Structure formats: C-alpha cells, structure tokens
PDB file of all heavy atoms in Angstrom:
ATOM      1  N   GLU A   1      -0.709  -6.863  -5.826  1.00  0.00           N
ATOM      2  CA  GLU A   1      -0.317  -8.265  -5.694  1.00  0.00           C
ATOM      3  C   GLU A   1       1.203  -8.383  -5.813  1.00  0.00           C
ATOM      4  O   GLU A   1       1.750  -9.448  -5.453  1.00  0.00           O
ATOM      5  CB  GLU A   1      -0.983  -9.119  -6.758  1.00  0.00           C
ATOM      6  CG  GLU A   1      -2.509  -9.276  -6.553  1.00  0.00           C
ATOM      7  CD  GLU A   1      -3.289  -8.215  -7.184  1.00  0.00           C
ATOM      8  OE1 GLU A   1      -2.771  -7.205  -7.688  1.00  0.00           O
ATOM      9  OE2 GLU A   1      -4.540  -8.264  -6.935  1.00  0.00           O
ATOM     10  N   GLY A   2       1.826  -7.397  -6.433  1.00  0.00           N
ATOM     11  CA  GLY A   2       3.293  -7.460  -6.501  1.00  0.00           C
ATOM     12  C   GLY A   2       4.054  -7.548  -5.237  1.00  0.00           C
ATOM     13  O   GLY A   2       5.171  -7.978  -5.194  1.00  0.00           O
ATOM     14  N   VAL A   3       3.372  -7.268  -4.022  1.00  0.00           N
ATOM     15  CA  VAL A   3       3.956  -7.394  -2.761  1.00  0.00           C
ATOM     16  C   VAL A   3       4.405  -8.899  -2.527  1.00  0.00           C
ATOM     17  O   VAL A   3       5.463  -9.152  -1.921  1.00  0.00           O
ATOM     18  CB  VAL A   3       2.989  -6.948  -1.667  1.00  0.00           C
ATOM     19  CG1 VAL A   3       3.561  -7.330  -0.239  1.00  0.00           C
ATOM     20  CG2 VAL A   3       2.825  -5.478  -1.737  1.00  0.00           C
ATOM     21  N   SER A   4       3.586  -9.794  -3.061  1.00  0.00           N
ATOM     22  CA  SER A   4       3.917 -11.204  -2.853  1.00  0.00           C
ATOM     23  C   SER A   4       5.138 -11.649  -3.664  1.00  0.00           C
ATOM     24  O   SER A   4       5.793 -12.598  -3.452  1.00  0.00           O
ATOM     25  CB  SER A   4       2.777 -12.123  -3.256  1.00  0.00           C
ATOM     26  OG  SER A   4       2.471 -11.875  -4.624  1.00  0.00           O
ATOM     27  N   PHE A   5       5.655 -10.705  -4.573  1.00  0.00           N
ATOM     28  CA  PHE A   5       6.844 -11.082  -5.418  1.00  0.00           C
ATOM     29  C   PHE A   5       8.059 -10.134  -4.974  1.00  0.00           C
ATOM     30  O   PHE A   5       8.981 -10.041  -5.715  1.00  0.00           O
ATOM     31  CB  PHE A   5       6.507 -10.864  -6.884  1.00  0.00           C
ATOM     32  CG  PHE A   5       5.406 -11.721  -7.387  1.00  0.00           C
ATOM     33  CD1 PHE A   5       4.194 -11.180  -7.740  1.00  0.00           C
ATOM     34  CD2 PHE A   5       5.513 -13.046  -7.429  1.00  0.00           C
ATOM     35  CE1 PHE A   5       3.132 -11.858  -8.219  1.00  0.00           C
ATOM     36  CE2 PHE A   5       4.512 -13.879  -7.829  1.00  0.00           C
ATOM     37  CZ  PHE A   5       3.277 -13.279  -8.233  1.00  0.00           C
ATOM     38  N   GLY A   6       7.864  -9.480  -3.904  1.00  0.00           N
ATOM     39  CA  GLY A   6       8.980  -8.633  -3.403  1.00  0.00           C
ATOM     40  C   GLY A   6       8.841  -7.169  -3.624  1.00  0.00           C
ATOM     41  O   GLY A   6       9.707  -6.381  -3.196  1.00  0.00           O
ATOM     42  N   ASP A   7       7.723  -6.762  -4.214  1.00  0.00           N
ATOM     43  CA  ASP A   7       7.545  -5.239  -4.403  1.00  0.00           C
ATOM     44  C   ASP A   7       7.327  -4.569  -2.983  1.00  0.00           C
ATOM     45  O   ASP A   7       6.881  -5.224  -2.102  1.00  0.00           O
ATOM     46  CB  ASP A   7       6.356  -4.936  -5.301  1.00  0.00           C
ATOM     47  CG  ASP A   7       6.669  -5.395  -6.753  1.00  0.00           C
ATOM     48  OD1 ASP A   7       7.748  -5.829  -7.024  1.00  0.00           O
ATOM     49  OD2 ASP A   7       5.743  -5.118  -7.550  1.00  0.00           O
ATOM     50  N   THR A   8       7.673  -3.319  -3.008  1.00  0.00           N
ATOM     51  CA  THR A   8       7.559  -2.515  -1.735  1.00  0.00           C
ATOM     52  C   THR A   8       6.174  -1.795  -1.727  1.00  0.00           C
ATOM     53  O   THR A   8       5.813  -1.261  -2.748  1.00  0.00           O
ATOM     54  CB  THR A   8       8.649  -1.546  -1.654  1.00  0.00           C
ATOM     55  OG1 THR A   8       9.904  -2.187  -1.599  1.00  0.00           O
ATOM     56  CG2 THR A   8       8.543  -0.654  -0.404  1.00  0.00           C
ATOM     57  N   LEU A   9       5.498  -1.913  -0.714  1.00  0.00           N
ATOM     58  CA  LEU A   9       4.239  -1.126  -0.500  1.00  0.00           C
ATOM     59  C   LEU A   9       4.417   0.167   0.062  1.00  0.00           C
ATOM     60  O   LEU A   9       5.005   0.337   1.044  1.00  0.00           O
ATOM     61  CB  LEU A   9       3.259  -1.942   0.437  1.00  0.00           C
ATOM     62  CG  LEU A   9       1.807  -1.505   0.462  1.00  0.00           C
ATOM     63  CD1 LEU A   9       1.018  -1.736  -0.773  1.00  0.00           C
ATOM     64  CD2 LEU A   9       1.106  -2.071   1.629  1.00  0.00           C
ATOM     65  N   ILE A  10       3.939   1.217  -0.613  1.00  0.00           N
ATOM     66  CA  ILE A  10       4.060   2.571  -0.181  1.00  0.00           C
ATOM     67  C   ILE A  10       2.647   3.060   0.176  1.00  0.00           C
ATOM     68  O   ILE A  10       1.735   3.022  -0.553  1.00  0.00           O
ATOM     69  CB  ILE A  10       4.577   3.547  -1.312  1.00  0.00           C
ATOM     70  CG1 ILE A  10       5.904   2.922  -1.924  1.00  0.00           C
ATOM     71  CG2 ILE A  10       4.685   4.938  -0.866  1.00  0.00           C
ATOM     72  CD1 ILE A  10       7.032   2.961  -0.971  1.00  0.00           C
ATOM     73  N   THR A  11       2.563   3.515   1.501  1.00  0.00           N
ATOM     74  CA  THR A  11       1.289   4.115   1.960  1.00  0.00           C
ATOM     75  C   THR A  11       1.527   5.447   2.555  1.00  0.00           C
ATOM     76  O   THR A  11       2.695   5.771   2.866  1.00  0.00           O
ATOM     77  CB  THR A  11       0.750   3.135   3.051  1.00  0.00           C
ATOM     78  OG1 THR A  11       1.628   3.062   4.121  1.00  0.00           O
ATOM     79  CG2 THR A  11       0.397   1.707   2.528  1.00  0.00           C
ATOM     80  N   TYR A  12       0.541   6.148   2.647  1.00  0.00           N
ATOM     81  CA  TYR A  12       0.587   7.548   3.261  1.00  0.00           C
ATOM     82  C   TYR A  12      -0.360   7.605   4.395  1.00  0.00           C
ATOM     83  O   TYR A  12      -1.429   8.307   4.312  1.00  0.00           O
ATOM     84  CB  TYR A  12       0.253   8.581   2.161  1.00  0.00           C
ATOM     85  CG  TYR A  12       1.149   8.437   0.972  1.00  0.00           C
ATOM     86  CD1 TYR A  12       0.711   7.711  -0.209  1.00  0.00           C
ATOM     87  CD2 TYR A  12       2.449   8.918   0.970  1.00  0.00           C
ATOM     88  CE1 TYR A  12       1.605   7.618  -1.236  1.00  0.00           C
ATOM     89  CE2 TYR A  12       3.298   8.856  -0.155  1.00  0.00           C
ATOM     90  CZ  TYR A  12       2.851   8.149  -1.287  1.00  0.00           C
ATOM     91  OH  TYR A  12       3.635   7.987  -2.341  1.00  0.00           O
ATOM     92  N   PRO A  13      -0.098   6.942   5.480  1.00  0.00           N
ATOM     93  CA  PRO A  13      -1.021   6.945   6.601  1.00  0.00           C
ATOM     94  C   PRO A  13      -1.120   8.328   7.350  1.00  0.00           C
ATOM     95  O   PRO A  13      -0.129   9.107   7.431  1.00  0.00           O
ATOM     96  CB  PRO A  13      -0.461   5.932   7.563  1.00  0.00           C
ATOM     97  CG  PRO A  13       1.000   5.867   7.240  1.00  0.00           C
ATOM     98  CD  PRO A  13       1.093   6.178   5.853  1.00  0.00           C
ATOM     99  N   PHE A  14      -2.294   8.671   7.727  1.00  0.00           N
ATOM    100  CA  PHE A  14      -2.560   9.904   8.529  1.00  0.00           C
ATOM    101  C   PHE A  14      -2.340   9.565   9.909  1.00  0.00           C
ATOM    102  O   PHE A  14      -3.086   8.679  10.474  1.00  0.00           O
ATOM    103  CB  PHE A  14      -3.978  10.472   8.200  1.00  0.00           C
ATOM    104  CG  PHE A  14      -4.264  11.668   8.917  1.00  0.00           C
ATOM    105  CD1 PHE A  14      -3.718  12.857   8.584  1.00  0.00           C
ATOM    106  CD2 PHE A  14      -5.166  11.707   9.947  1.00  0.00           C
ATOM    107  CE1 PHE A  14      -3.985  14.006   9.284  1.00  0.00           C
ATOM    108  CE2 PHE A  14      -5.543  12.823  10.637  1.00  0.00           C
ATOM    109  CZ  PHE A  14      -4.898  14.045  10.301  1.00  0.00           C
ATOM    110  N   LYS A  15      -1.480  10.244  10.634  1.00  0.00           N
ATOM    111  CA  LYS A  15      -1.290  10.007  12.090  1.00  0.00           C
ATOM    112  C   LYS A  15      -0.879   8.540  12.373  1.00  0.00           C
ATOM    113  O   LYS A  15      -1.401   7.961  13.342  1.00  0.00           O
ATOM    114  CB  LYS A  15      -2.410  10.469  12.968  1.00  0.00           C
ATOM    115  CG  LYS A  15      -2.563  11.986  12.893  1.00  0.00           C
ATOM    116  CD  LYS A  15      -3.627  12.410  13.845  1.00  0.00           C
ATOM    117  CE  LYS A  15      -3.791  13.954  13.838  1.00  0.00           C
ATOM    118  NZ  LYS A  15      -4.841  14.427  14.850  1.00  0.00           N
ATOM    119  N   ALA A  16      -0.119   8.014  11.457  1.00  0.00           N
ATOM    120  CA  ALA A  16       0.419   6.579  11.645  1.00  0.00           C
ATOM    121  C   ALA A  16      -0.742   5.571  11.619  1.00  0.00           C
ATOM    122  O   ALA A  16      -0.621   4.498  12.053  1.00  0.00           O
ATOM    123  CB  ALA A  16       1.244   6.447  12.902  1.00  0.00           C
ATOM    124  N   ARG A  17      -1.829   5.942  11.038  1.00  0.00           N
ATOM    125  CA  ARG A  17      -3.019   5.026  11.003  1.00  0.00           C
ATOM    126  C   ARG A  17      -3.376   4.766   9.486  1.00  0.00           C
ATOM    127  O   ARG A  17      -3.653   5.670   8.779  1.00  0.00           O
ATOM    128  CB  ARG A  17      -4.218   5.546  11.694  1.00  0.00           C
ATOM    129  CG  ARG A  17      -3.980   5.591  13.229  1.00  0.00           C
ATOM    130  CD  ARG A  17      -5.092   6.327  13.940  1.00  0.00           C
ATOM    131  NE  ARG A  17      -6.427   5.866  13.635  1.00  0.00           N
ATOM    132  CZ  ARG A  17      -7.102   4.885  14.254  1.00  0.00           C
ATOM    133  NH1 ARG A  17      -6.537   4.368  15.246  1.00  0.00           N
ATOM    134  NH2 ARG A  17      -8.337   4.545  13.949  1.00  0.00           N
ATOM    135  N   LEU A  18      -3.317   3.525   9.081  1.00  0.00           N
ATOM    136  CA  LEU A  18      -3.711   3.107   7.734  1.00  0.00           C
ATOM    137  C   LEU A  18      -5.176   2.719   7.816  1.00  0.00           C
ATOM    138  O   LEU A  18      -5.509   1.912   8.720  1.00  0.00           O
ATOM    139  CB  LEU A  18      -2.916   1.941   7.320  1.00  0.00           C
ATOM    140  CG  LEU A  18      -2.961   1.577   5.805  1.00  0.00           C
ATOM    141  CD1 LEU A  18      -2.563   2.687   4.908  1.00  0.00           C
ATOM    142  CD2 LEU A  18      -2.043   0.353   5.540  1.00  0.00           C
ATOM    143  N   CYS A  19      -6.015   3.289   6.977  1.00  0.00           N
ATOM    144  CA  CYS A  19      -7.500   3.146   7.179  1.00  0.00           C
ATOM    145  C   CYS A  19      -8.135   2.608   5.896  1.00  0.00           C
ATOM    146  O   CYS A  19      -7.612   2.851   4.783  1.00  0.00           O
ATOM    147  CB  CYS A  19      -8.198   4.400   7.571  1.00  0.00           C
ATOM    148  SG  CYS A  19      -7.669   5.025   9.228  1.00  0.00           S
ATOM    149  N   ARG A  20      -9.256   2.058   6.063  1.00  0.00           N
ATOM    150  CA  ARG A  20     -10.019   1.546   4.942  1.00  0.00           C
ATOM    151  C   ARG A  20     -10.219   2.751   3.947  1.00  0.00           C
ATOM    152  O   ARG A  20     -10.580   3.854   4.336  1.00  0.00           O
ATOM    153  CB  ARG A  20     -11.408   1.075   5.307  1.00  0.00           C
ATOM    154  CG  ARG A  20     -12.289   0.463   4.224  1.00  0.00           C
ATOM    155  CD  ARG A  20     -13.609   0.245   4.678  1.00  0.00           C
ATOM    156  NE  ARG A  20     -14.142   1.430   5.259  1.00  0.00           N
ATOM    157  CZ  ARG A  20     -15.272   1.565   5.909  1.00  0.00           C
ATOM    158  NH1 ARG A  20     -16.107   0.567   6.111  1.00  0.00           N
ATOM    159  NH2 ARG A  20     -15.670   2.739   6.337  1.00  0.00           N
ATOM    160  N   GLY A  21     -10.062   2.527   2.653  1.00  0.00           N
ATOM    161  CA  GLY A  21     -10.216   3.579   1.670  1.00  0.00           C
ATOM    162  C   GLY A  21      -8.966   4.244   1.301  1.00  0.00           C
ATOM    163  O   GLY A  21      -8.868   5.007   0.289  1.00  0.00           O
ATOM    164  N   ASP A  22      -7.841   4.021   2.064  1.00  0.00           N
ATOM    165  CA  ASP A  22      -6.580   4.628   1.748  1.00  0.00           C
ATOM    166  C   ASP A  22      -6.031   4.014   0.522  1.00  0.00           C
ATOM    167  O   ASP A  22      -6.332   2.865   0.233  1.00  0.00           O
ATOM    168  CB  ASP A  22      -5.578   4.473   2.879  1.00  0.00           C
ATOM    169  CG  ASP A  22      -5.756   5.423   4.123  1.00  0.00           C
ATOM    170  OD1 ASP A  22      -6.662   6.317   3.930  1.00  0.00           O
ATOM    171  OD2 ASP A  22      -5.182   5.173   5.047  1.00  0.00           O
ATOM    172  N   ILE A  23      -5.327   4.743  -0.277  1.00  0.00           N
ATOM    173  CA  ILE A  23      -4.690   4.310  -1.464  1.00  0.00           C
ATOM    174  C   ILE A  23      -3.221   3.906  -1.132  1.00  0.00           C
ATOM    175  O   ILE A  23      -2.501   4.589  -0.476  1.00  0.00           O
ATOM    176  CB  ILE A  23      -4.668   5.364  -2.628  1.00  0.00           C
ATOM    177  CG1 ILE A  23      -6.073   5.928  -2.878  1.00  0.00           C
ATOM    178  CG2 ILE A  23      -4.027   4.810  -3.854  1.00  0.00           C
ATOM    179  CD1 ILE A  23      -7.060   4.929  -3.518  1.00  0.00           C
ATOM    180  N   ALA A  24      -2.850   2.712  -1.662  1.00  0.00           N
ATOM    181  CA  ALA A  24      -1.431   2.246  -1.523  1.00  0.00           C
ATOM    182  C   ALA A  24      -0.845   2.024  -2.922  1.00  0.00           C
ATOM    183  O   ALA A  24      -1.571   1.793  -3.894  1.00  0.00           O
ATOM    184  CB  ALA A  24      -1.418   0.911  -0.722  1.00  0.00           C
ATOM    185  N   HIS A  25       0.413   2.226  -3.023  1.00  0.00           N
ATOM    186  CA  HIS A  25       1.130   2.001  -4.368  1.00  0.00           C
ATOM    187  C   HIS A  25       2.194   1.001  -4.080  1.00  0.00           C
ATOM    188  O   HIS A  25       2.756   0.865  -3.011  1.00  0.00           O
ATOM    189  CB  HIS A  25       1.726   3.370  -4.770  1.00  0.00           C
ATOM    190  CG  HIS A  25       0.734   4.419  -5.006  1.00  0.00           C
ATOM    191  ND1 HIS A  25      -0.059   4.532  -6.096  1.00  0.00           N
ATOM    192  CD2 HIS A  25       0.408   5.515  -4.195  1.00  0.00           C
ATOM    193  CE1 HIS A  25      -0.785   5.485  -6.018  1.00  0.00           C
ATOM    194  NE2 HIS A  25      -0.643   6.134  -4.848  1.00  0.00           N
ATOM    195  N   THR A  26       2.533   0.290  -5.136  1.00  0.00           N
ATOM    196  CA  THR A  26       3.692  -0.708  -5.134  1.00  0.00           C
ATOM    197  C   THR A  26       4.799  -0.223  -5.939  1.00  0.00           C
ATOM    198  O   THR A  26       4.556   0.342  -7.085  1.00  0.00           O
ATOM    199  CB  THR A  26       3.237  -2.090  -5.436  1.00  0.00           C
ATOM    200  OG1 THR A  26       2.584  -2.105  -6.630  1.00  0.00           O
ATOM    201  CG2 THR A  26       2.303  -2.656  -4.348  1.00  0.00           C
ATOM    202  N   ILE A  27       5.996  -0.483  -5.508  1.00  0.00           N
ATOM    203  CA  ILE A  27       7.240  -0.084  -6.307  1.00  0.00           C
ATOM    204  C   ILE A  27       8.009  -1.388  -6.495  1.00  0.00           C
ATOM    205  O   ILE A  27       8.229  -2.131  -5.609  1.00  0.00           O
ATOM    206  CB  ILE A  27       8.094   0.946  -5.546  1.00  0.00           C
ATOM    207  CG1 ILE A  27       7.306   2.150  -5.185  1.00  0.00           C
ATOM    208  CG2 ILE A  27       9.339   1.289  -6.285  1.00  0.00           C
ATOM    209  CD1 ILE A  27       7.001   3.076  -6.254  1.00  0.00           C
ATOM    210  N   GLY A  28       8.401  -1.603  -7.803  1.00  0.00           N
ATOM    211  CA  GLY A  28       9.187  -2.761  -8.074  1.00  0.00           C
ATOM    212  C   GLY A  28      10.638  -2.628  -7.540  1.00  0.00           C
ATOM    213  O   GLY A  28      11.207  -1.623  -7.557  1.00  0.00           O
ATOM    214  N   VAL A  29      11.178  -3.711  -7.010  1.00  0.00           N
ATOM    215  CA  VAL A  29      12.562  -3.786  -6.577  1.00  0.00           C
ATOM    216  C   VAL A  29      13.329  -4.635  -7.530  1.00  0.00           C
ATOM    217  O   VAL A  29      12.886  -5.627  -7.875  1.00  0.00           O
ATOM    218  CB  VAL A  29      12.520  -4.333  -5.125  1.00  0.00           C
ATOM    219  CG1 VAL A  29      13.991  -4.524  -4.637  1.00  0.00           C
ATOM    220  CG2 VAL A  29      11.753  -3.468  -4.224  1.00  0.00           C
ATOM    221  N   PRO A  30      14.447  -4.324  -7.965  1.00  0.00           N
ATOM    222  CA  PRO A  30      15.305  -3.158  -7.701  1.00  0.00           C
ATOM    223  C   PRO A  30      15.057  -1.958  -8.696  1.00  0.00           C
ATOM    224  O   PRO A  30      15.741  -0.895  -8.593  1.00  0.00           O
ATOM    225  CB  PRO A  30      16.693  -3.660  -7.835  1.00  0.00           C
ATOM    226  CG  PRO A  30      16.578  -4.607  -8.979  1.00  0.00           C
ATOM    227  CD  PRO A  30      15.261  -5.182  -8.758  1.00  0.00           C
ATOM    228  N   SER A  31      14.106  -2.093  -9.676  1.00  0.00           N
ATOM    229  CA  SER A  31      13.878  -1.115 -10.603  1.00  0.00           C
ATOM    230  C   SER A  31      13.462   0.258 -10.061  1.00  0.00           C
ATOM    231  O   SER A  31      13.739   1.418 -10.604  1.00  0.00           O
ATOM    232  CB  SER A  31      12.881  -1.546 -11.664  1.00  0.00           C
ATOM    233  OG  SER A  31      11.603  -1.587 -11.126  1.00  0.00           O
ATOM    234  N   GLY A  32      12.689   0.273  -9.066  1.00  0.00           N
ATOM    235  CA  GLY A  32      12.191   1.464  -8.420  1.00  0.00           C
ATOM    236  C   GLY A  32      10.961   2.054  -9.260  1.00  0.00           C
ATOM    237  O   GLY A  32      10.516   3.154  -8.928  1.00  0.00           O
ATOM    238  N   LYS A  33      10.454   1.302 -10.170  1.00  0.00           N
ATOM    239  CA  LYS A  33       9.396   1.765 -11.024  1.00  0.00           C
ATOM    240  C   LYS A  33       8.045   1.349 -10.339  1.00  0.00           C
ATOM    241  O   LYS A  33       7.900   0.270  -9.723  1.00  0.00           O
ATOM    242  CB  LYS A  33       9.457   1.213 -12.402  1.00  0.00           C
ATOM    243  CG  LYS A  33      10.614   1.630 -13.170  1.00  0.00           C
ATOM    244  CD  LYS A  33      10.565   1.028 -14.599  1.00  0.00           C
ATOM    245  CE  LYS A  33      11.774   1.524 -15.321  1.00  0.00           C
ATOM    246  NZ  LYS A  33      11.813   0.978 -16.683  1.00  0.00           N
ATOM    247  N   PRO A  34       6.952   2.137 -10.482  1.00  0.00           N
ATOM    248  CA  PRO A  34       5.675   1.803  -9.955  1.00  0.00           C
ATOM    249  C   PRO A  34       5.159   0.570 -10.642  1.00  0.00           C
ATOM    250  O   PRO A  34       5.349   0.397 -11.784  1.00  0.00           O
ATOM    251  CB  PRO A  34       4.825   3.046 -10.355  1.00  0.00           C
ATOM    252  CG  PRO A  34       5.752   4.115 -10.655  1.00  0.00           C
ATOM    253  CD  PRO A  34       6.980   3.531 -11.131  1.00  0.00           C
ATOM    254  N   SER A  35       4.601  -0.321  -9.787  1.00  0.00           N
ATOM    255  CA  SER A  35       4.063  -1.535 -10.316  1.00  0.00           C
ATOM    256  C   SER A  35       2.669  -1.797 -10.120  1.00  0.00           C
ATOM    257  O   SER A  35       2.079  -2.727 -10.638  1.00  0.00           O
ATOM    258  CB  SER A  35       4.890  -2.767  -9.719  1.00  0.00           C
ATOM    259  OG  SER A  35       4.703  -2.773  -8.367  1.00  0.00           O
ATOM    260  N   GLY A  36       1.978  -0.970  -9.345  1.00  0.00           N
ATOM    261  CA  GLY A  36       0.613  -1.095  -9.074  1.00  0.00           C
ATOM    262  C   GLY A  36       0.027  -0.200  -7.986  1.00  0.00           C
ATOM    263  O   GLY A  36       0.729   0.616  -7.367  1.00  0.00           O
ATOM    264  N   SER A  37      -1.227  -0.193  -7.815  1.00  0.00           N
ATOM    265  CA  SER A  37      -1.924   0.486  -6.666  1.00  0.00           C
ATOM    266  C   SER A  37      -3.242  -0.151  -6.334  1.00  0.00           C
ATOM    267  O   SER A  37      -3.803  -0.854  -7.131  1.00  0.00           O
ATOM    268  CB  SER A  37      -2.109   1.977  -7.156  1.00  0.00           C
ATOM    269  OG  SER A  37      -3.113   2.065  -8.173  1.00  0.00           O
ATOM    270  N   CYS A  38      -3.644   0.079  -5.180  1.00  0.00           N
ATOM    271  CA  CYS A  38      -4.845  -0.495  -4.718  1.00  0.00           C
ATOM    272  C   CYS A  38      -5.498   0.314  -3.513  1.00  0.00           C
ATOM    273  O   CYS A  38      -4.882   1.194  -2.967  1.00  0.00           O
ATOM    274  CB  CYS A  38      -4.621  -1.892  -4.213  1.00  0.00           C
ATOM    275  SG  CYS A  38      -3.419  -2.004  -2.792  1.00  0.00           S
ATOM    276  N   THR A  39      -6.687   0.008  -3.233  1.00  0.00           N
ATOM    277  CA  THR A  39      -7.492   0.651  -2.128  1.00  0.00           C
ATOM    278  C   THR A  39      -7.529  -0.340  -0.995  1.00  0.00           C
ATOM    279  O   THR A  39      -7.810  -1.509  -1.160  1.00  0.00           O
ATOM    280  CB  THR A  39      -8.869   1.079  -2.553  1.00  0.00           C
ATOM    281  OG1 THR A  39      -8.834   1.832  -3.780  1.00  0.00           O
ATOM    282  CG2 THR A  39      -9.595   1.808  -1.495  1.00  0.00           C
ATOM    283  N   ILE A  40      -7.178   0.159   0.169  1.00  0.00           N
ATOM    284  CA  ILE A  40      -7.187  -0.668   1.381  1.00  0.00           C
ATOM    285  C   ILE A  40      -8.581  -0.890   1.862  1.00  0.00           C
ATOM    286  O   ILE A  40      -9.392  -0.043   1.880  1.00  0.00           O
ATOM    287  CB  ILE A  40      -6.290  -0.031   2.478  1.00  0.00           C
ATOM    288  CG1 ILE A  40      -4.849   0.229   1.994  1.00  0.00           C
ATOM    289  CG2 ILE A  40      -6.362  -0.788   3.785  1.00  0.00           C
ATOM    290  CD1 ILE A  40      -4.025  -0.993   1.745  1.00  0.00           C
ATOM    291  N   GLY A  41      -8.892  -2.123   2.326  1.00  0.00           N
ATOM    292  CA  GLY A  41     -10.160  -2.456   2.869  1.00  0.00           C
ATOM    293  C   GLY A  41     -10.146  -2.476   4.445  1.00  0.00           C
ATOM    294  O   GLY A  41      -9.184  -1.970   5.009  1.00  0.00           O
ATOM    295  N   ASN A  42     -11.082  -3.032   5.022  1.00  0.00           N
ATOM    296  CA  ASN A  42     -11.201  -3.281   6.504  1.00  0.00           C
ATOM    297  C   ASN A  42     -10.070  -4.161   7.006  1.00  0.00           C
ATOM    298  O   ASN A  42      -9.561  -4.982   6.226  1.00  0.00           O
ATOM    299  CB  ASN A  42     -12.481  -3.800   6.897  1.00  0.00           C
ATOM    300  CG  ASN A  42     -13.656  -2.840   6.884  1.00  0.00           C
ATOM    301  OD1 ASN A  42     -13.497  -1.663   7.319  1.00  0.00           O
ATOM    302  ND2 ASN A  42     -14.771  -3.190   6.351  1.00  0.00           N
ATOM    303  N   PHE A  43      -9.649  -4.022   8.154  1.00  0.00           N
ATOM    304  CA  PHE A  43      -8.632  -4.862   8.770  1.00  0.00           C
ATOM    305  C   PHE A  43      -9.331  -5.901   9.691  1.00  0.00           C
ATOM    306  O   PHE A  43     -10.074  -5.480  10.614  1.00  0.00           O
ATOM    307  CB  PHE A  43      -7.630  -3.985   9.609  1.00  0.00           C
ATOM    308  CG  PHE A  43      -6.822  -3.140   8.666  1.00  0.00           C
ATOM    309  CD1 PHE A  43      -7.214  -1.827   8.368  1.00  0.00           C
ATOM    310  CD2 PHE A  43      -5.577  -3.511   8.211  1.00  0.00           C
ATOM    311  CE1 PHE A  43      -6.550  -1.016   7.608  1.00  0.00           C
ATOM    312  CE2 PHE A  43      -4.884  -2.739   7.331  1.00  0.00           C
ATOM    313  CZ  PHE A  43      -5.320  -1.452   6.984  1.00  0.00           C
ATOM    314  N   VAL A  44      -9.025  -7.128   9.449  1.00  0.00           N
ATOM    315  CA  VAL A  44      -9.606  -8.198  10.286  1.00  0.00           C
ATOM    316  C   VAL A  44      -8.487  -8.866  11.066  1.00  0.00           C
ATOM    317  O   VAL A  44      -7.610  -9.461  10.508  1.00  0.00           O
ATOM    318  CB  VAL A  44     -10.300  -9.266   9.411  1.00  0.00           C
ATOM    319  CG1 VAL A  44     -10.902 -10.357  10.213  1.00  0.00           C
ATOM    320  CG2 VAL A  44     -11.398  -8.567   8.564  1.00  0.00           C
ATOM    321  N   PRO A  45      -8.532  -8.836  12.457  1.00  0.00           N
ATOM    322  CA  PRO A  45      -7.499  -9.512  13.206  1.00  0.00           C
ATOM    323  C   PRO A  45      -7.753 -10.974  13.284  1.00  0.00           C
ATOM    324  O   PRO A  45      -8.886 -11.396  13.410  1.00  0.00           O
ATOM    325  CB  PRO A  45      -7.693  -8.774  14.587  1.00  0.00           C
ATOM    326  CG  PRO A  45      -9.099  -8.419  14.649  1.00  0.00           C
ATOM    327  CD  PRO A  45      -9.514  -8.095  13.225  1.00  0.00           C
TER     328      PRO A  45
END
C-alpha cells in the first residue's frame, strides 16, 4: 500500500512478464528502506 504514498514498487518479472503469484517489494523514498511486500494477483483490464 506504500505505493499510494510514493514508495517504489520493485518486481522481478521473468521475461518482462509480471504474473499472478509473483512477489513484489516496496522501497520507501527517499530513505531507500524496505517498506513492504505483497503477492501479485490476476490482472483485470
């Protein structure tokens, strides 16, 4: 949820594809400290 406050989302997509079940981390700006992590769900257009 820190993304809504300006945190940066860090993902590690395989072949430039972010998929359901991938883990994402957030980094606080400007501190650079980890602020959270989550599991990505399905993508709904």
Side-chain angles (χ1 to χ4, degrees):
E1 292 84 359
V3 170
S4 62
F5 303 111
D7 287 0
T8 300
L9 186 74
I10 307 296
T11 59
Y12 306 96
F14 179 70
K15 294 188 178 180
R17 292 171 53 90
L18 190 58
C19 295
R20 181 189 58 188
D22 286 350
I23 305 293
H25 302 279
T26 54
I27 304 284
V29 176
S31 70
K33 294 182 180 179
S35 59
S37 65
C38 59
T39 305
I40 302 295
N42 285 315
F43 293 89
V44 181

